[in-house]
Amino acid sequence: MTKIRALRIENDLTAKTLAEQLKLDQSVLSFVERGKSKASDRVRLKLCKFFGVAETELFNNERFAV
């Protein structure tokens, strides 16, 4: 389980709700959350701000979710 998914579940959010709050397409969030796609700078920033965590907590050096 990636840190993004763990934080989403900890905060009692569905993927759909989180995507809506971040103004992201749910499929983008899903791919990033599962580590299947690199997150853009914009998506990384939104996720870090939303959860109040450093980028290094959510992403490895290649921008894939950890």
Side-chain angles (χ1 to χ4, degrees), residues 10-45:
E10 269 181 38
N11 286 279
D12 199 30
L13 295 167
T14 65
K16 180 179 180 181
T17 303
L18 179 58
E20 288 171 353
Q21 289 188 14
L22 296 176
K23 296 184 180 11
L24 296 174
D25 188 276
Q26 189 175 348
S27 63
V28 170
L29 178 61
S30 176
F31 276 100
V32 170
E33 185 178 274
R34 292 181 293 136
K36 300 291 183 184
S37 178
K38 288 184 180 180
S40 69
D41 291 341
R42 181 179 67 92
V43 170
R44 287 182 301 131
L45 180 62

Side-chain angles (χ1 to χ4, degrees), residues 34-58:
R34 292 181 293 136
K36 300 291 183 184
S37 178
K38 288 184 180 180
S40 69
D41 291 341
R42 181 179 67 92
V43 170
R44 287 182 301 131
L45 180 62
K46 284 184 174 201
L47 285 165
C48 292
K49 279 187 173 183
F50 184 85
F51 290 118
V53 296
E55 184 179 337
T56 55
E57 282 190 60
L58 297 182

